[in-house]
Amino acid sequence: MDSSVSGFYKKSLEERIAIIKEAGQLTEEETAQLKKFAALDFEQANRMIENVIGVQQLPIGIATNFVVNGKDILIPMAIEEPSVVAAACNGARIARALGGFKSKASAPIMIGQIQIVNAEKGAEKKILKAKKELLEKANSMDKTLKKFGGGAKELKAEELKTQKGKMVIVQLLVDVRDAMGANAINTMCEAIAPKLEEISKGKVFLRIISNLAIHRTVKAKAVFSKKALEESFKGKIRGEEIVEAMLNAYAFAEADVFRACTHNKGIMNGIDAVGIATGQDFRAIEAGAHCYASWKNKGEYKPLTKYYKNEKGDLIGEIELPLAIGLVGGATRTHPIAKTCVKILGVKTANELAEIMACVGLANNAAAIRALAVEGIQKGHMKLHARNIAVIAGAQGKDIEDVAEKMINENNVKVDRAKEILGEKN
Ligand code: NAD
């Protein structure tokens, strides 16, 4: 399969679905479900959360051009924001010229925390002495995880000074394999709590996963060649100039927290969109990513990506972040569209999915700084935005395009102006 499907954006829904069907080996039922534009019925939704009264829908777009670890992949992205899917395609197209992305996930080790209050002096040491027994107890709670090679692997105990006095915090390190891991870890933490109370003579309060998944990270890298960058502007701007402009954009984010925050938001545009499409807990992903952006740099919030030039003057982009995502549990196995999206991606393990997601984040980030540094974001963004504004003002059919174009030409994209233009037309 070649993911650089030419003119995907110009194809009809039928044609796009036919491509996806073949690439993901989807069944008739799965493609019919996509075409329905309605994912969940009341019974399914009511099983997922409480007090259900309806469903919220987001469009799913396909990001083309991705090559990850030598494999062509079509990537489903669910998002409400215009231009994110296009940016991912763009970043991936530029990276593709020199082989695409290389990506590697660490072992899927998550941290569970157990808070002990009023522990006796030296409790940490006593807890560590009972490590083997505690790990065995934790592992007895999840035979399935153990069977797949996962399970509780390590236990740490440290004193923590807090505004309410000293506490002992136990960390349980668990290899969660293809799960996001929250339920699995919370269950283990709860199971070892009575023993911890017995050993420490204290009282256990919180027993919960940490979303700062420092042991479950992904690193990805791509070369954005100056030639491909130049071609992306149809040769109108020199490749060297584009590389320098992008490095300036990165230097800004590296030195300034206000810019770093938005820089990372651009990365998460892509990562969240794949996360939502595949039914992930995107709040967990977001919390982990932003916290890591400062934890990694001794409390100073920094960009999650890095850019530098190689000896040929091409731009190298790198990303590193924690990605606590899963293919079992959560909505990934229960939401029919999420299941189909996983199938389109062709991933069999959570690590493979994490590796792809990191690349999408890097692609989106590279495309964003390219656009911001060189052409200004508004040009690309405004077209879709103007169409939305025209629809909000009541435009229908051909009027949508006419009103949008007029507003863009006037550089005045506002609902009031759209209403005026509509009034003038009719
Ligand atoms: P889960 O408990 O539904 O599924 C994980 C279980 O699946 C494992 O414990 C294991 O027994 C089994 N399993 C089968 N095959 C497996 C495989 N190949 N690899 C790993 N496990 C396998 O889900 P979970 O991932 O433990 O929890 C995820 C859910 O927890 C999400 O819905 C998330 O929103 C929610 N949650 C998150 C937080 C948080 O992030 N702070 C807190 C509470 C709950």
Side-chain angles (χ1 to χ4, degrees):
M1 194 264 296
D2 179 353
S3 68
S4 65
V5 195
S6 157
F8 193 82
Y9 67 101
K10 289 190 214 148
K11 297 194 187 297
S12 66
L13 175 64
E14 291 292 332
E15 290 169 326
R16 291 176 189 172
I17 297 254
I19 293 168
I20 293 301
K21 185 175 183 217
E22 202 192 317
Q25 302 288 299
L26 303 186
T27 62
E28 289 296 333
E29 200 187 333
E30 285 159 344
T31 50
Q33 171 85 67
L34 281 175
K35 278 193 255 179
K36 259 201 314 192
F37 280 80
L40 299 173
D41 59 27
F42 172 71
E43 294 302 331
Q44 289 168 312
N46 204 38
R47 272 197 299 272
M48 289 174 77
I49 63 161
E50 309 77 29
N51 301 352
V52 168
I53 52 117
V55 287
Q56 167 68 288
Q57 297 196 39
L58 289 174
I60 298 174
I62 290 288
T64 56
N65 298 324
F66 274 86
V67 179
V68 176
N69 295 333
K71 194 171 159 212
D72 277 59
I73 306 168
L74 291 171
I75 301 180
M77 302 175 77
I79 191 156
E80 88 298 342
E81 187 179 345
S83 302
V84 173
V85 177
C89 297
N90 241 323
R93 184 161 41 83
I94 297 165
R96 188 182 179 87
L98 289 182
F101 300 84
K102 297 263 177 304
S103 188
K104 183 84 188 116
S106 69
I109 307 275
M110 297 291 293
I111 302 169
Q113 292 187 297
I114 302 149
Q115 176 199 31
I116 311 171
V117 178
N118 293 332
E120 67 177 18
K121 215 170 169 334
E124 311 90 86
K125 286 199 183 94
K126 287 189 189 149
I127 290 169
L128 290 178
K129 272 198 188 137
K131 189 193 277 190
K132 191 163 171 280
E133 186 189 345
L134 288 162
L135 288 177
E136 269 168 19
K137 175 72 188 160
N139 281 322
S140 71
M141 303 308 294
D142 205 329
K143 299 263 162 50
T144 318
L145 203 49
K146 206 70 188 105
K147 192 178 90 195
F148 286 110
K153 303 284 179 192
E154 180 59 288
L155 185 135
K156 297 177 185 177
E158 272 175 21
E159 195 179 77
L160 182 73
K161 286 196 183 96
T162 79
Q163 54 179 266
K164 292 265 283 162
K166 285 182 186 168
M167 297 173 187
V168 172
I169 306 300
V170 173
Q171 279 199 358
L172 186 66
L173 271 53
V174 183
D175 183 327
V176 296
R177 296 283 92 196
D178 297 314
M180 180 265 167
N183 291 326
I185 287 194
N186 297 347
T187 308
M188 287 183 178
C189 290
E190 282 174 18
I192 62 170
K195 187 77 198 164
L196 288 171
E197 285 189 336
E198 192 189 311
I199 301 169
S200 68
K201 309 279 183 283
K203 184 160 171 45
V204 165
F205 283 84
L206 272 57
R207 292 149 289 176
I208 178 91
I209 196 167
S210 167
N211 290 110
L212 179 55
I214 58 164
H215 305 299
R216 194 183 193 180
T217 56
V218 191
K219 288 182 186 176
K221 184 175 179 175
V223 183
F224 301 95
S225 79
K226 57 181 185 215
K227 182 160 173 276
L229 283 164
E230 188 167 309
E231 280 166 9
S232 76
F233 286 104
K234 302 198 163 60
K236 286 183 194 147
I237 310 165
R238 282 177 38 249
E240 288 83 355
E241 252 182 89
I242 303 167
V243 169
E244 290 311 322
M246 289 173 74
L247 284 172
N248 286 342
Y250 168 62
F252 180 13
E254 210 283 322
D256 176 83
V257 72
F258 290 92
R259 177 59 210 147
C261 180
T262 320
H263 181 100
N264 287 344
K265 189 272 180 185
I267 294 170
M268 301 316 288
N269 272 342
I271 290 178
D272 283 347
V274 184
I276 295 169
T278 56
Q280 306 301 328
D281 181 338
F282 53 92
R283 289 84 54 211
I285 298 174
E286 281 280 335
H290 291 289
C291 195
Y292 191 74
S294 52
W295 175 86
K296 175 90 177 138
N297 302 291
K298 300 188 176 65
E300 227 186 308
Y301 187 94
K302 294 279 183 189
L304 291 162
T305 50
K306 260 196 193 94
Y307 292 91
Y308 54 93
K309 272 189 296 189
N310 66 9
E311 66 289 349
K312 291 184 189 147
D314 295 327
L315 186 71
I316 316 277
E318 291 179 2
I319 186 167
E320 181 183 332
L321 81 168
L323 275 173
I325 52 116
L327 290 182
V328 296
T332 311
R333 282 276 169 93
T334 53
H335 194 295
I337 298 291
K339 281 199 280 186
T340 302
C341 288
V342 169
K343 209 168 163 191
I344 294 169
L345 285 159
V347 289
K348 297 281 179 272
T349 65
N351 268 7
E352 278 179 72
L353 177 56
E355 284 167 355
I356 293 172
M357 286 169 77
C359 298
V360 179
L362 179 56
N364 269 96
N365 183 233
I369 61 172
R370 169 195 166 277
L372 277 169
V374 185
E375 69 184 2
I377 198 92
Q378 284 313 79
K379 194 170 153 261
H381 224 85
M382 267 305 152
K383 208 166 175 184
L384 279 163
H385 177 58
R387 283 190 204 137
N388 283 338
I389 296 291
V391 171
I392 292 168
Q396 290 179 344
K398 189 178 169 303
D399 280 351
I400 299 174
E401 210 54 47
D402 293 350
V403 173
E405 200 176 307
K406 197 154 187 341
M407 288 193 294
I408 290 170
N409 290 340
E410 291 173 357
N411 205 8
N412 183 12
V413 182
K414 302 221 170 62
V415 177
D416 287 350
R417 182 60 194 137
K419 283 186 180 158
E420 277 172 21
I421 300 170
L422 268 177
E424 288 160 19
K425 276 176 75 88
N426 302 318

